[in-house]
Amino acid sequence: MEENAGFAAFKGAIKTEKDKNKAASVQAVYFKNIEKVGFNMSFNYSVLNNDCTENKVKIVTDPEVFPVDAFPDFVERFMKEVSKATAVPIDFVGVSILTVVSALIGNKRMLELKTGYKVLPTLFACMVGAPGVGKTPALNLALSVVQHLESQEAQAYESQLENYKLEMVNYELELEKWKGNKKTRKAEDKPTEPKEPRFRQIKTTDITIEALIELLEVNPILVVKDELSGWINSMDQYKGSGKGSEKENWLELYNGKPLTINRKGHKVNRVENPFSSVIGGTQPDKLEKIFSTDIKDGFIDRIIFSFPDGVTTQAKKDALDYAIDSLTIQTYIDQFSRLFYLRSEGNKPTVLKLTEEADYYYRELSRNMIDQFDSPEMNEDVKAAASKFRTYFERFILIMHFIHKLGGKDEQGEAVDVPAVHCAYKLIQYFIAHAERIYQRISGSEEEKLVHKAVDWIRKHAQGNKVSASNLQRGIRAIKTSEESNRIMQLIANYGYGMITYEEARNKKSVKYINLFRK
C-alpha cells in the first residue's frame, strides 16, 4: 500500500529533528492538526510540512492539570457539571470515569502493540485528597452507569431464575422417568441438568481474593474502596495460610494472567481470563505510610495517583446553586452502557491493533518517554516506575479509543488510530506529573514538606493565590510565629512557586505578601 505523502513528511521531520526544542515544535504542530479537525480519522498530514518552528507554533500545557479536552464533548460536559455541582476537583471525576470505563471494557478487548505483546485496560487508581474534598461524590456519580447496568442485570437475573426453577421441575420429572426405565435406559439419554444462572455483578467493595474470584468467574469486576490505604497495607495478610499471597494474586490480576486459588474443602478455582480494576481514595497524610510499606516487587508503582489542589471556598458556595442537567447524566449512562455489551468471541478477548500512522506515533511518543525518564531532572523514585508508566500509556490508548468511539469520533471499525494515542499521552503525562508531586511531598526534607503544605493551602484558601505572613500563620498550625511565617514565604519564593511583593495597607504601613505563580 502506498504511504500517505504527508505522513511520510511527518516521519522525516521527526527523524531529522535533532534539536529537542525543534522536535517539540514538530510534535506541537501534529497535535494542533489533530485537534483542528476534531479528532477526525482522516486528517491532512501534509500540514506538518509547513512552518514547524517555535515562532510559528507554541502550545503551553501544564501536565498537572487533568486533560479534560482529551475527551469527547459529552464526557467533558459531564465532568465539568459534576465538578461544579459537587465542588470536587475535576481530576477526581476524570479518574473515576477512566476506571469505570476500564471495567466496562474488561477482558472483552486487548490491544496488540507488537507480536506477542498485548495489554488489557486494567487500572489501579488512587485519588488523594483531604477528608471532605469530594472523592466519594465524584466516584458515585461516575458509577451511575454501573448502578444502572447492575439494576438491569438484576431484573434479567430474576427472570432467568424463574425460568431455571421451571426447567428444574421438568428436569427432575424427566430424571425420575429415566431412572424408572432400568432395563432400557441409556446413559446418553439421561436428561441434562439445567445450569443455574448467576448474577453478573460489576462492582464490589470486598477485595479478598476468595470473594473476588467467585465474581470473576462470571464477569470482570471493578473494586471500589473509600480508603485504598487499607487494601495496600493489608497485602500478604494471608501469607502462610495456604491460600497464597494476596499480593501475588493482585499482581496476576494486574497483568491479566490466569488466577488459581485453593478454596475451602480443597476445591480449586481457576479463572483463565480474569479482569479487575481498582479505584479508591486516600488522604495526603497517609501517603508516606503507603509508600513506606513493606510491599515489594514494585506493587505501589502499579498504582496511578491523582493529587490535585482542593477546590476554593467560593466553589463550594457556588455548588449550592448549581445542579447537574439530567440530560447530561442520562447521556453519560446511555453512552457508556454500550461498552458493557461489547461482543467478544467466547471467553477470549478480541485483539485490536494500531493503524500504521498510530503505530508510528505511539513509538515516537514512547521514545519521548524514555528520554523523559532518563532526564536528570526526573525524580529518582518516579524513574523507578518508568516501565509501569509506559504500560499505562498503552492501556490508556485502548481506553481512549473506545471513549472516542462513543463520542462518534471513530467510525472506521476497530483499528486504533492516532487520536487515541494522542489523548493517552496527555493522560500519562498528567499521572507522571502527579507521581512527581507526591514524591516531592513524601521524600523531601521537613522544610520542603512544610513549603509544599503552605503552597497547597494558599492555592486552596487564598483569594488570588496571594497571602500575607499573618494569614499564612493563622492558616497552618505548624507555623507558630510571624518570623517562621516570613521564612516560609521566602522559601516559597526561593523554590520558584511565587514571588514576594509589598503593598500599602490602610494605615499606610507596608504589608508583605507571597504571590503564587499561576500553574
Side-chain angles (χ1 to χ4, degrees), residues 215-226:
L215 303 177
L216 292 174
E217 290 173 336
V218 183
N219 199 67
I221 291 295
L222 173 62
V223 174
V224 178
K225 296 296 289 183
D226 283 339

Side-chain angles (χ1 to χ4, degrees), residues 411-429:
E411 303 297 340
Q412 299 185 17
E414 293 279 43
V416 180
D417 217 322
V418 171
V421 180
H422 170 57
C423 295
Y425 191 71
K426 282 187 173 184
L427 285 167
I428 201 58
Q429 290 302 313

Side-chain angles (χ1 to χ4, degrees), residues 176-284:
E176 288 299 318
K177 187 176 179 180
W178 177 81
K179 287 180 178 179
N181 298 327
K182 293 182 180 180
K183 294 182 180 180
T184 60
R185 72 186 183 194
K186 298 177 182 179
E188 60 267 25
D189 294 332
K190 183 179 179 180
T192 303
E193 183 176 353
K195 188 175 181 180
E196 184 174 357
R198 297 180 67 178
F199 175 56
R200 292 176 69 192
Q201 190 169 330
I202 303 172
K203 74 173 179 68
T204 184
T205 57
D206 190 344
I207 52 178
T208 61
I209 291 296
E210 276 205 331
L212 189 61
I213 199 167
E214 291 276 352
L215 303 177
L216 292 174
E217 290 173 336
V218 183
N219 199 67
I221 291 295
L222 173 62
V223 174
V224 178
K225 296 296 289 183
D226 283 339
E227 180 51 66
L228 207 63
S229 63
W231 169 59
I232 297 169
N233 293 324
S234 68
M235 290 293 170
D236 290 333
Q237 64 179 345
Y238 293 119
K239 195 170 185 178
S241 67
K243 299 177 184 177
S245 166
E246 198 88 338
K247 176 194 65 181
E248 290 170 2
N249 286 318
W250 279 106
L251 288 173
E252 294 294 283
L253 278 169
Y254 174 86
N255 293 316
K257 302 296 184 183
L259 192 63
T260 303
I261 187 170
N262 296 317
R263 303 195 64 246
K264 294 176 181 178
H266 304 288
K267 179 183 176 183
V268 176
N269 282 47
R270 180 176 173 84
V271 181
E272 290 297 327
N273 296 297
F275 182 94
S276 182
S277 281
V278 182
I279 186 168
T282 196
Q283 299 171 25

